[in-house]
Every structure is written in structure tokens, then in C-alpha cells.
Amino acid sequence: MRSSIWLIMLAGTCLVFIQSAHADSQFAVTVEQFTPAPGQFVNDAYYSDPLKALDRPWGGGFSEPGNSSLVSLGGFGGSIILSFDHTVLDDPANPFGIDAIVFGNGFWVSDNPNRKWAECGVIEISRDANSNSLADDPWYLIPGSHVVDLMGQYETAIWDDDVYDSTYPPADMAWIPPGFGGVWQTEGYLLPAAVFNVQILENPNGLDADEEGVWGYADLSPTEEMPDGIDPAVFYTRPDNPLEVGLNDGCGGGDGFDIAWAVDQVTGETAQLDGFDFIRITNGVNYLAGIFGEISTEIDAVSDVAEGSFGDADGDGDWDLYDYSILEQCYGGPGVIVPTCPCRVMDYDQDGDIDLYDFSRFQQDLSS
């Protein structure tokens, strides 16, 4: 839907401004399946509603979790499958190449982004290849930094509702998910205990590192609180660079991934997907953290990275003359990257400067 077009010349380059409206939701809209494993919150109404994984996230910021809109997956192998009302496409032109973002309630410990309270979930995606709107097509793995042995790291966990028999966990009836009984199992990719079986996840590259040593998983990074007056469909669709420590200015946090990272779970070869319709998130850690209970992935939302999200200075969903005026104001020197300065969302490559590259990317987004 196009409503307005402007033409502006800059150094001999014609910029075409198209004010548009996107009918699809930027967030996952349907819970296709919810299969929690036993855990301390699976019978807690505050954390057991899978519908809380839909629509926009509600963040708490860098140093404390936002717990108002979460669903817990329980212990190892607990999972949730969500779907969008459109296909999330692999777009190399997205910032950092990131196509989708998963939001949880991770946060930084003592404001150090190399020390995280994180409960990592493994991500898989599926394309509705048979066009039946069911999640019955092959799944492809986002291996991230620590799934390196597809066969060797695929594990099962066995559970039993007889809490008086110590053969299988859990030992507390309140931890048994509704509808489960007898002996059953969950399964998934198990992340290495040496890194992930901890209460506080530390960057394997060191506590002063600039490069992330853990990436490509859910519930790893903080979800920002949304500033006043900003459209959540813009703020929470601006990706962070998951390979660098910290969060880039102008993004809403969460854990982004590139569809191009997906691999065939049998061969390990690159999946070469053009997009996905379904996403499955599975708790990849099997660890009881003392009084804190099990390490349990919590999910708040999943978003489709918005095309041109780094060019919308006022966050209103339109790319127009106002955004261009901000780009002009910021052009010509280092951008003052502070929370009150819209320059931060005009800086496509997040290098601290508004330059011809940023003008070029702005033009590409407007003309796409």
C-alpha cells in the first residue's frame, strides 16, 4: 500500500521516498505446539501460558529481566513452535544480515555484557514447502556457536510422574506439566555442559572480550524497554550484531539469527532456505542450578527484522521527508550516539558515523 512519493537529489543521486504500510505482523502470531518439560514454572499461570510468546516483547533492560510476558519451556527438551502470518525471508541486505530476533529475559550481571543470566534455547526453522499451513515439513537447525556435532549432541531426557521413584526426575509433583503422566521423554540438541551448565554464563572469549563466544541461541541477550513514542514493530525489529559483545545502539535487544546459518540436520550441509514459516525453540540445557531450579529457556516474542528498520528515525513505520531531514542533520561527521539522538537509527552499519554508506542503504530501503 503506497500513499506518497518524493524525489530528492543528493550529490547527483536520486532518492525515492515511498511511504508505505505493511499489512503483516512483524511478530509471531500463532502457537502451533507447546510441549514443556518438567520444571518449576510449568504449573505457574504467570509463566505457563504459551500465548505470551506472541506479539511484541516487554523488556526489562540491560541489568534486570522483563518477566511480565514470558512462557517457560521447563527443563531440557521443552519446546514451543510458533508461526508468522507471512514467510520470514532471508534478506542479506538486512542489518548484519540478521533476519529474525528471538526475545527472552536474559540480562547482564553487574552491567557486564560478558556475564549473562542466560538460559539458552536452540532454534530450528521450517519452510511450509507443501503449503498446507502445518508444521509438518523438515526442520533445519540454527547451530549457533556450540552445536558442532549434530549426531553426538542430540540427546533425550526421560521423565516420570512418580516423584517417589528416584529413577527419573522430577522429584516434585508441581514440576510435572499439565497433561503428562507415566514415563515419557523430551529431546533436542544439548549444549556443552562446560559452558552452559552454570548460573551465570560467561563469554568463553574472556570477560573483557569484544567478540561474542556464545551466539545463535534464544534467551541469551537482554530485551530493552521500549522508549516512549516509538512503534514496537519498528523498535523490536532492529537487530543487534550477535557476533559482537553488547547491544548496538537503536536496537531493541534480543537474539538475532541469519536464515543462511540454517543447516540440514542429517547432512550438516547449508540448508539454502529462502525463508521460514515456523520456528521451534527448545531448551538446550540440562542443569539444575540449586535453589534457582532448572535452567529453563523463557520466550517473550519472535520478530521478523523489518526492511529499512534502521532508516525510520521517529519509529512511526514510515520512511519520509522527516527521516531524510534527520539523515541530513547527522551527515558529515561522527554521529552523537545517545538515547535522545535519532542519529543512532540512521547509522546502518553502527560505526558511529553518518556517511555516504548510510545514505546508500537508506536509498536501497526506500526503493525496495
Side-chain angles (χ1 to χ4, degrees), residues 116-140:
K116 300 182 178 74
W117 187 278
E119 300 173 295
C120 293
V122 175
I123 299 167
E124 299 165 273
I125 55 177
S126 180
R127 187 75 159 91
D128 187 18
N130 59 15
S131 301
N132 66 353
S133 299
L134 299 175
D136 58 1
D137 292 286
W139 288 95
Y140 298 91

Side-chain angles (χ1 to χ4, degrees), residues 230-318:
I230 301 296
D231 183 353
V234 175
F235 185 68
Y236 291 119
T237 58
R238 292 172 175 154
D240 172 51
N241 184 348
L243 304 184
E244 293 182 355
V245 170
L247 292 178
N248 293 97
D249 292 295
C251 81
D255 298 295
F257 66 91
D258 187 344
I259 293 171
W261 296 347
V263 299
D264 186 294
Q265 299 189 48
V266 176
T267 66
E269 299 294 325
T270 301
Q272 298 183 339
L273 293 173
D274 65 342
F276 72 89
D277 301 285
F278 305 99
I279 180 169
R280 178 164 64 196
I281 305 161
T282 305
N283 185 4
V285 182
N286 193 0
Y287 180 63
L288 288 175
I291 62 172
F292 297 104
E294 87 283 10
I295 295 294
S296 174
T297 306
E298 274 89 45
I299 301 299
D300 191 352
V302 182
S303 74
D304 179 358
V305 169
E307 185 177 14
S309 60
F310 265 96
D312 183 13
D314 55 1
D316 66 354
D318 294 324

Side-chain angles (χ1 to χ4, degrees), residues 46-63:
Y46 198 72
Y47 296 103
S48 61
D49 181 0
L51 296 180
K52 287 188 174 183
L54 304 180
D55 201 23
R56 57 157 288 187
W58 297 84
F62 293 149
S63 299

Side-chain angles (χ1 to χ4, degrees), residues 38-40 158-176 184 288:
Q40 59 185 324
I158 301 177
W159 314 94
D160 190 344
D161 68 348
D162 185 351
V163 297
Y164 302 105
D165 182 351
S166 62
T167 304
Y168 304 117
D172 188 334
M173 186 66 70
W175 284 38
I176 298 174
W184 77 99
L288 288 175

Side-chain angles (χ1 to χ4, degrees), residues 24-41:
D24 297 327
S25 173
Q26 293 297 140
F27 304 100
V29 298
T30 304
V31 177
E32 300 290 337
Q33 186 181 88
F34 177 49
T35 312
Q40 59 185 324
F41 296 124

